[in-house]
Amino acid sequence: QVQLVESGGGLVQAGGSLRLSCAASGRTFSRNNMGWFRQAPGKEREFVATISWAAGMTYYAASVKGRFTISRDNAKNTVYLQMNGLKPEDTAVYYCAASSSQYPAVAPREYDYWGQGTQVTVSS
């Protein structure tokens, strides 16, 4: 099994920055890839970014590319999402997820484990 715990959410002004953390524990083979998703009220959960534990390969949604950076610290079993240049439309609950897939995954259904989520609110 895999346990994921997000932290670092909060309220920031537009143009500000925020750093989210996801502490992971459990079977490493069940979390070959880690992803960040977000869900705003009235909207479906959407892909934000993903990173592979082994190689550190990253992939971003077009809406956040150039503003957000996903990274991982293998020794600490922690994944981060550095968010810069935040916009009001970034407001959502952000979820950390783990996938056992050996292939890139951008759909929520491809992820096996999820954290509880952390709220990010960006004011104008």
Side-chain angles (χ1 to χ4, degrees), residues 11-15 86-89 91 121-124:
L11 174 64
V12 298
Q13 292 185 321
L86 284 164
K87 306 174 181 179
E89 51 262 44
T91 295
T121 303
V122 184
S123 63
S124 60

Side-chain angles (χ1 to χ4, degrees), residues 104-120:
V106 299
R109 66 180 297 274
E110 298 181 272
Y111 286 79
D112 308 297
Y113 301 95
W114 296 83
Q116 82 287 350
T118 184
Q119 177 70 48
V120 172

Side-chain angles (χ1 to χ4, degrees), residues 2 4 29-31 97-101 108-114:
V2 175
L4 305 173
F29 56 81
S30 294
R31 48 181 173 91
S99 173
S100 60
S101 176
R109 66 180 297 274
E110 298 181 272
Y111 286 79
D112 308 297
Y113 301 95
W114 296 83

Side-chain angles (χ1 to χ4, degrees), residues 7 14 56 69 79:
S7 62
T69 302
V79 178

Side-chain angles (χ1 to χ4, degrees), residues 4-76:
L4 305 173
V5 180
E6 304 100 329
S7 62
L11 174 64
V12 298
Q13 292 185 321
S17 299
L18 203 60
R19 182 182 174 94
L20 305 183
S21 298
C22 174
S25 62
R27 297 180 175 183
T28 57
F29 56 81
S30 294
R31 48 181 173 91
N32 295 324
N33 294 280
M34 302 294 294
W36 284 100
F37 290 77
R38 65 187 183 186
Q39 187 167 26
K43 295 185 177 181
E44 296 184 350
R45 192 165 298 186
E46 66 172 332
F47 169 78
V48 175
T50 187
I51 187 170
S52 63
W53 280 109
M57 293 184 173
T58 61
Y59 182 76
Y60 299 89
S63 59
V64 305
K65 188 176 297 184
R67 298 189 298 123
F68 292 8
T69 302
I70 187 171
S71 62
R72 93 290 196 215
D73 186 328
N74 289 11
K76 295 182 178 180

